[in-house]
Structures are given as structure tokens and as C-alpha cells.
Amino acid sequence: MLLTGQGCYSDDVNLPGQVYAVMLRSPHAHARILAIDVTPALALPGVLAVLTGADALADGLQPMPHRPALPSPPDILLQPSDGSRPFTPPHYPLARDCVRFVGEAVAMVLAETRQLARDAAELVQIDWQALPAVADARAALLPDAPQVWQGHGTNVALDAQIGQPAALEPVFASAAHVARLNTWIPRLAGVPMEPRAVVAQWQAPAADSDDPAGQYTIYAGGGGVVRPKREIATVLGVPEHSVRVIARQVGGNFGTRNAAYPEFSLLPWAARRIGRPVKWTGDRSEAFIADHQGRDLAVQAELALDGEGNFLALRCDSISNIGAHAVSWVPLTKGASLMTGVYSIPLVAVRARAVFTNTPPTVPYRSAGRPEAMFVIERLVDIAARQFGFDAVQLRRRNLVTPQQQPYANGLGIAYDNGDYAATMDAVLGMADWQGYAVRKAASVARGRLRGIGLANYIEITSGNPRERTDIRVRAAAVDRPAGVEVVIGTLSSGQGHDTSFAQLVVQWLGVPIDAVQIITGDTAVVHEGGGSHSGRSMRLASNIIGKATQQIVQQALPLAAQLLEANAADVEFCLMQGWGRYRVQGSDRSIGLFDVACAAPQGSLSATCDETVQVGSYPDGAQVVEVEIDPETGATEIQRYAAIDDVGRAINPLILHGQTHGGIAQGIGQAMLEQCVYDAHSAQALSGSFMDYAMPRADHFPRFDTALSEVPASSNVHGVRSGGEGGTTPALAVFVNAVVDALADHGVTHLEMPVTPQRIWQALQK
């Protein structure tokens, strides 16, 4: 369907009589709004309204209900160390009295055409009072830093301590070796292929209706539909049943589109005010300044070792730049909880701070927090190996968590389920021909090139929203349609192949043709629960609930099948006969197909629902090896070889999983080599507001990937699924920088900050 252009994305939706919205966005990173004059804009023919924060306040729009923390196990819930509550100031869809980042929406112009709305937006006159701004979280902690939220007294939203730092002091004091790393993992733009778009309409209530809210329908692609529905209802101040959210195809997400944006609520509000459907489509320039962003974590870390290379203790100070609003500090939470990686480190302490700045909010971006954590621990291991004379591979092997230690609780209490980390590392070393590296390096040296090799292990935690639901119906053939199986589920694909892999589960358990299975998502008229797609949760939870719902159908239909077969129910079994699901009288050749049983059922169908809350996560793991070659005259770097292995537990669709690994590697290497959101240190103005200023990885940056799957079944769920959507990204930052530093080690280079551009490499060589 997608390959033939038959998809329906948010911008493809058009409704009769619709008008167009354009957002007027702040040119200042921090400023007071003294006055807004909309009169010149309203004077243009065809302009229907110019709505401001004052209008939203008058109509009772509420702040956006952000949930910055994930309170469900197994995630650690970060709480301020002094026992206070985290500071989460209100975030209104339109700024009312003050803007806090460049791109924050100040007004919404509604007109008959999009271009007319753009022209009118330029006529809106705003009296600004510019205020000091800060873009870097570390600078925001200084005593004289500008205050993003005046009156709070600090830019710190959350200051939490996990572990026991006092217990580590004597260990570090007596350790034979201490490796140190002071680093910053830069900020990224999500840059999905499809810019955000919203279409909304409002239907007035019937004259005899008891509900004065009417019915709002919002078309908006993102990470799900149930969460946006609830958030929109909260902002509009209406019952949830008054809001319907529809998302068809979604052209990429990676996490930055999971939360409801201001436009999700502003457009239905506007549709009600003017009595017509309203459409807004953001452009790429808006996306660079107004979309949520990812990463941006500063870390100071120390690893203590004894004389033999055993890891003794780890302590970290992590500072997360959450931007101007407290949308999420999940990356800070997840990164802090997995800072030990796959290694046995008895004592761990992490200070985790979420800090406001005058930049767009940051949210979970592919593998939220885990690439940052793996970057820190894997760089520390390489630093320790080189500084103290250990072999990098043997140092890792000495300290890996063993299968005999599992289930293993790391130093912060996170209980890893199971996995063979040493076997996984050995497998990737074999794939990469680690032993043959010396020959390849010599060949590079002969050509005047520098060659380096890097290794990185990783572990993830897949948790996220713990609740998921499916409604499955097996329907008999009718005059207007063939027999089939409808699967309604609350997660939502943004390119992960759910239609294929979920259907495979149904085919396996019900024995029906795959083209008879229809996966239905993305419409709250039929999807009543579900957490959307994030944190590697989709297949892990889908396999669980689809499995249980199909078994319910099989068991519920058994008495009817026995009746049709004129047999005792105890003598009838459901089995796959030549691949097809049939009920059979044991010891005979009498059988009946599943669809035939559905035909005899009331309404001609069989149905079941499974709605479960799963508070247990799983822990995918893996390893990568990269070889790079560097031109010392220019700093230009080429990736020569790339090997990756991911333990996903049970692989439902290996082809899709390999594709996920390829895409994940590209995103991780994109950050390590090229990508960075840049802000002026004094004005907090965005300096990377287009693809002219923000570099993206391309096909010619990569060699052919050598990828493999390990399938140690997860002990945390009945089907053994871990997840495989984020493994390519998680170790990529560390493995690339490890390889580059290895290539430059003979020149005295011990560390490079990301992105590791040719300029940075050249400058390091000159020093």
C-alpha cells in the first residue's frame, strides 16, 4: 500500500469547508509579551480570526498535562533528594505573558488559504521586552544564570540522588585505578520524514443531547491515539468521549512525536470557535525550532578499578537539558538506571538533574537515555584499558555479568532478566574478524591512513506504558466480504511493520491466511486502550495479548465446534492441519475449519478481548564492532566495516529486525559523526534551523552492515520477546567514538566529543 502511494498521512486529510491555520512563533528565546495588536491582520479579506493566549485563557483552555516521569516499574522514579516535589510549571498551548524559546507559539491565524494566513501572521504586531536567555544546562546551573521560570529561584526542575554516594568515597580513595570522563552528548532534532500536521473539526451537540461539549475529531499522526485523546480532552476541558483522534500512516517518529503538541488542542478549539474544520501543516523550518528534540546530556563519571582490572564502583553526575518546559525527563531516568551497562559493578551512585533552558523541550528519542549511558560506560572502559594497560576486550570480559548471576540486580536495583553477554560479545568479535585487524591496519598505514577499531556492548530496558489492549474478531464470509480476522490494537506503527509482524502471530496461533488478517489501529472510535509505540513495547506486549486473545477464541468456540461435529467437547481439539486452523475429533478424520465455526456462531463471528497491564520489562542486549579509516591531512573519516549483533529474545520477523538494526545504526552514527542542534550561547537563538545547517547521514557514509540476531528467550514474558527496535542505535555512539579514538591514540588523543567531525579530528591531530 505504501509503496504504491496509497497511504494516508495527516496532511493528506482534507475536509469540506476547511480553513487554514498558521502559527505565529516567537523570534525571541526569552521575552515578555507586553501587547499584541491583531487589527492589521484581521483587516485582510479572508482572515477569519487571530487567536492569542488571552483568547485561550478566556475560553478556559487548560495547561498541557505533561507526564515528565514514568511511574511504572521497572523504571526508577526519580524524586528530589530533599524530599520536595519536582518543579513542573504550567505549559499553555499559546504563550500568555512570556515566551521561553525561539519557536514557541504566540498566536494562531485562521484564513481561507494557507498563504493568506501566512501573510496575515506577518501583520500581527507584538510589543516584546527581551529578557536574558540561557541555552546550555551547565550554564543554567551557575548562580548568575538567567532564570527560565522567574520566581522559582533556580533552573533546576529535578535534583535526585540514586545509590549511596557516601559508601563510594572510601572505595575510590583506595582504588588502584580511577578512570574519568567529562562529556556532553549533544542535542538532536527528530527530523522524521513527515512534518507534523493536524486537521480538526467540531460537531455541535444535538438539541436533545445532555453533553454540551459536542464532538471533536482530530486527525494527527504521532506515537499513538489514546494518550493524545486524553491530553486533548484535558486541555479543552471536555469529557474524553467528546474527543476522537485518528492517525493513519505516520511517516517516522522515533519518540519526538509521542506527546501531544499544542497544535493538537489549538485546532479543535479553533474549529469550535469558527464553526469550520481547521488544517495546519508544519514545514521543516518550524520543525527545527518548534518540535521536541532529543538527547542533550552532560555527564561527569568515574570508574574505580582494582589492580587486576575488576570494576569496584561507578559514580556519575548527569545533567539533562529538558528545555523550557517539563515535558519529559524519561531519558534522564532510563540513562541513570542503566549506567552500569552489562558489567558487574558492586557500588553505584548517580546524581540526576533536570534543568530548564531557553530551548525547545527534550523528550525520549530513539532508545531514550540508553545510548547516552552506554556511551559513558563504554568510553570509560576504553579509557581505563588504554590508561592503565589492560586489553580492552579482556577488561570487558572480566567484568561482564554472567548467566550464573542472573537474574541480576545492578547497583541501582534494576533487575536484568537473562542473557549471555559474553557469548554475544564473542560472536560480534568473530563477525568483525577482530583477530585479523592488525593486517588491515598495516595496509591502511601503508597508504598513509590512520585506522582504528572500536567495540561496545549494550543493554536496554523496554518498559514504557504498561497497559495494552487488543480486540480480536474472527468473522465468517459475507456477501460483501471474505472471511477474515480483525485485530484492533492500541499501539501504532510509524514504519515498524506492525501489519506484517502482528499478522504473523495470528497466522501462527489461529492458522488463517495472512491476507485474511486485518490490523486495525489509529482510531479512538475503535481503539479504547493502548500506549502507542515507544520504548520497545509494541511487539513485547502485542505478542502477549494477541496470544491470550486468540487462545480465548479457540477455547470459547470449542463447544460450538463439538456441536457442529456431533461430538463430545472433551474429544475435540484445535490444531493446525496442513497449516490451517481446524477443530478435529481426536482419533478420526472429522474436522471443521475455524471460519466455518464462526459462521455458525451468533452474528457470524467469534471474538475476544485481552486488556493487560504488564509491570515487568525486558532487557535486550548486544554488541557492535566498527573499523574506521582516517585521512590525517583532512580528518575525513570512512567507516570501513560494521558488525552488530542484537539479542532480541524471540525474533518474530527477522527481516524487519535486521532493517530496524540498519536504521538504528544510521541514527546513532548520525549523531556520532554529524548531527547537532546548535544554539547561540548568549541569545539561545537556533543556529541549525535547516538542512543547510543540520547535517544528516546519507547512504555513502556507511559500508555494508554485517548484522546478526541472538535469540536467548526473555524470561520476563511467556513468548520470550525482548524487542529489537532500538538496539542499532544504543551502542553506536560509543562504538564509533571508541574506533576514532583508537585510530588517533598514537597521536596522544584520549577522547573526542560528538559529533566527531573532520574538523574536530584535524584539530586534535594538530595539537
Side-chain angles (χ1 to χ4, degrees):
M1 180 177 68
L2 299 181
L3 293 178
T4 58
Q6 302 302 306
C8 180
Y9 297 87
S10 299
D11 187 53
D12 293 327
V13 176
N14 291 287
L15 302 177
Q18 72 187 17
V19 303
Y20 296 83
V22 164
M23 300 298 159
L24 178 59
R25 301 189 181 277
S26 170
H28 299 279
H30 199 192
R32 289 193 181 91
I33 304 170
L34 302 180
I36 301 179
D37 183 3
V38 303
T39 307
L42 290 173
L44 279 183
V47 175
L48 305 176
V50 181
L51 303 176
T52 67
D55 298 316
L57 178 64
D59 281 4
L61 263 65
Q62 299 300 305
M64 300 178 67
H66 297 312
R67 298 178 297 170
L70 282 177
S72 59
D75 294 290
I76 291 174
L77 180 59
L78 295 180
Q79 293 290 351
S81 304
D82 61 3
S84 64
R85 294 174 60 86
F87 178 58
T88 55
H91 180 188
Y92 289 92
L94 287 174
R96 295 163 50 190
D97 55 359
C98 184
V99 292
R100 293 178 171 85
F101 67 92
V102 172
E104 188 163 14
V106 178
M108 176 171 55
V109 180
L110 307 175
E112 295 289 352
T113 69
R114 188 182 183 197
Q115 187 56 53
L116 181 58
R118 284 178 176 271
D119 293 342
E122 294 183 0
L123 298 177
V124 176
Q125 298 175 3
I126 302 179
D127 187 7
W128 300 99
Q129 180 188 1
L131 299 172
V134 62
D136 185 279
R138 294 162 294 185
L141 291 173
L142 299 176
D144 58 347
Q147 297 296 298
V148 178
W149 291 91
Q150 295 87 356
H152 178 51
T154 174
N155 286 318
V156 177
L158 170 74
D159 188 346
Q161 179 72 59
I162 51 178
Q164 301 296 326
L168 276 66
E169 292 293 344
V171 177
F172 275 91
S174 61
H177 308 294
V178 176
R180 294 179 174 86
L181 176 66
N182 186 354
T183 190
W184 174 53
I185 294 92
R187 176 180 288 235
L188 300 182
V191 287
M193 289 184 292
E194 175 200 13
R196 293 188 295 111
V198 182
V199 182
Q201 66 179 351
W202 176 73
Q203 183 177 354
D208 58 349
S209 174
D210 294 331
D211 183 4
Q215 184 67 39
Y216 297 89
T217 302
I218 299 98
Y219 299 83
V225 289
V226 176
R227 176 181 174 182
K229 167 193 172 83
R230 291 171 175 158
E231 293 183 348
I232 293 167
T234 298
V235 175
L236 297 178
V238 300
E240 287 184 14
H241 63 74
S242 297
V243 176
R244 178 185 181 188
V245 176
I246 301 173
R248 302 305 186 198
Q249 276 69 48
V250 181
N253 178 10
F254 314 121
T256 58
R257 300 176 66 173
N258 280 342
Y261 280 85
E263 294 85 2
F264 284 34
S265 303
L266 291 175
L267 264 71
W269 167 58
R272 177 171 181 170
R273 280 191 63 121
I274 67 172
R276 292 172 64 179
V278 183
K279 181 173 184 175
W280 169 81
T281 300
D283 58 29
R284 188 62 68 181
S285 296
E286 278 185 287
F288 270 115
I289 61 171
D291 279 12
H292 300 330
Q293 297 174 341
R295 311 289 191 237
D296 205 337
L297 182 76
V299 181
Q300 288 185 324
E302 294 180 308
L303 176 65
L305 304 85
D306 67 16
E308 287 71 44
N310 297 303
F311 297 164
L312 304 176
L314 173 71
R315 58 186 177 193
C316 302
D317 186 352
S318 299
I319 302 169
S320 175
N321 185 343
I322 64 170
H325 298 284
V327 177
S328 176
W329 49 68
V330 168
L332 180 65
T333 299
K334 289 187 176 291
S337 65
L338 291 182
M339 198 63 78
T340 58
V342 292
Y343 306 107
S344 178
I345 306 178
L347 296 173
V348 186
V350 179
R351 186 182 185 187
R353 285 178 282 180
V355 179
F356 291 113
T357 64
N358 296 111
T359 59
T362 53
V363 294
Y365 173 74
R366 196 169 191 172
S367 190
R370 283 88 88 188
E372 298 95 306
M374 297 308 111
F375 180 77
V376 171
I377 187 63
E378 292 295 326
R379 285 295 300 127
L380 277 173
V381 175
D382 259 31
I383 289 169
R386 193 171 302 277
Q387 185 174 351
F388 308 126
F390 297 109
D391 178 84
V393 172
Q394 296 306 320
L395 184 60
R396 286 177 168 86
R397 183 172 286 114
R398 171 182 284 271
N399 290 282
L400 287 171
V401 174
T402 67
Q404 292 72 33
Q405 292 174 284
Q406 296 166 343
Y408 172 80
N410 74 5
L412 297 172
I414 298 296
Y416 302 176
D417 48 12
N418 63 316
D420 194 337
Y421 310 140
T424 300
M425 186 179 74
D426 288 341
V428 82
L429 292 173
M431 292 165 57
D433 185 22
W434 186 275
Q435 296 300 323
Y437 167 70
V439 174
R440 297 188 294 275
K441 180 172 183 176
S444 294
V445 171
R447 293 186 293 106
R449 296 291 190 265
L450 307 176
R451 195 177 188 102
I453 191 168
L455 165 67
N457 295 311
Y458 81 88
I459 192 165
E460 279 203 89
I461 180 172
T462 58
S463 51
N465 190 313
R467 187 176 179 185
E468 194 56 62
R469 168 173 167 155
T470 187
D471 299 276
I472 299 181
R473 183 165 73 105
V474 179
R475 51 174 173 74
V479 175
D480 58 342
R481 65 169 189 264
V485 180
E486 296 173 350
V487 181
V488 177
I489 194 164
T491 188
L492 181 66
S493 175
S494 54
Q496 299 97 321
H498 290 177
D499 282 358
T500 301
S501 52
F502 290 179
Q504 285 182 249
L505 298 174
V506 177
V507 169
Q508 177 180 345
W509 291 322
L510 291 184
V512 297
I514 194 166
D515 57 4
V517 181
Q518 181 185 9
I519 306 298
I520 301 172
T521 65
D523 186 348
T524 57
V526 292
V527 175
H528 305 297
E529 274 299 340
S533 181
H534 63 274
S535 192
R537 66 184 297 279
S538 293
M539 180 54 73
R540 180 173 58 89
L541 297 184
S543 63
N544 184 54
I545 60 174
I546 290 175
K548 291 185 177 181
T550 54
Q551 288 306 306
Q552 288 179 36
I553 288 173
V554 167
Q555 293 303 315
Q556 291 170 6
L558 186 62
L560 178 58
Q563 180 181 341
L564 295 172
L565 291 168
E566 298 180 343
N568 190 309
D571 297 328
V572 176
E573 64 178 356
F574 182 79
C575 59
L576 299 184
M577 300 177 64
Q578 297 181 332
W580 303 109
R582 301 185 67 83
Y583 289 92
R584 180 182 65 183
V585 179
Q586 299 179 47
S588 77
D589 59 357
R590 294 162 53 209
S591 68
I592 186 171
L594 180 64
F595 289 128
D596 295 321
V597 177
C599 185
Q603 291 82 46
S605 65
L606 306 166
S607 61
T609 293
C610 184
D611 185 335
E612 289 207 344
T613 299
V614 179
Q615 301 283 17
V616 178
S618 64
Y619 297 82
D621 64 88
Q624 293 183 359
V625 172
V626 169
E627 280 185 45
V628 300
E629 192 176 72
I630 298 172
D631 180 352
E633 297 297 321
T634 64
T637 303
E638 292 184 2
I639 301 174
Q640 297 293 315
R641 299 163 68 96
Y642 207 119
I645 185 168
D646 300 291
D647 187 347
V648 300
R650 182 185 178 193
I652 303 300
N653 187 309
L655 183 63
I656 288 177
L657 286 165
H658 282 290
Q660 293 269 30
T661 299
H662 293 180
I665 289 171
Q667 283 186 276
I669 296 299
Q671 172 165 16
M673 291 183 71
L674 301 160
E675 297 181 56
Q676 182 181 358
C677 293
V678 181
Y679 292 88
D680 183 87
H682 301 290
S683 67
Q685 283 286 338
L687 304 180
S688 51
S690 74
F691 285 129
M692 295 293 289
D693 315 298
Y694 188 93
M696 290 284 288
R698 302 176 184 274
D700 60 358
H701 284 109
F702 303 102
R704 181 180 180 86
F705 297 130
D706 185 6
T707 61
L709 300 176
S710 171
E711 295 188 61
V712 177
S715 60
S716 53
N717 62 84
V718 66
H719 299 296
V721 174
R722 296 190 198 279
S723 110
E726 298 174 328
T729 303
T730 307
L733 283 59
V735 77
F736 179 78
V737 176
N738 281 349
V740 171
V741 172
D742 181 65
L744 304 178
D746 290 342
H747 295 264
V749 177
T750 58
H751 180 67
L752 284 175
E753 290 287 80
M754 296 180 291
V756 184
T757 60
Q759 181 185 24
R760 279 191 170 155
I761 292 174
W762 184 86
Q763 289 173 336
L765 288 171
Q766 304 316 302
K767 294 178 182 179

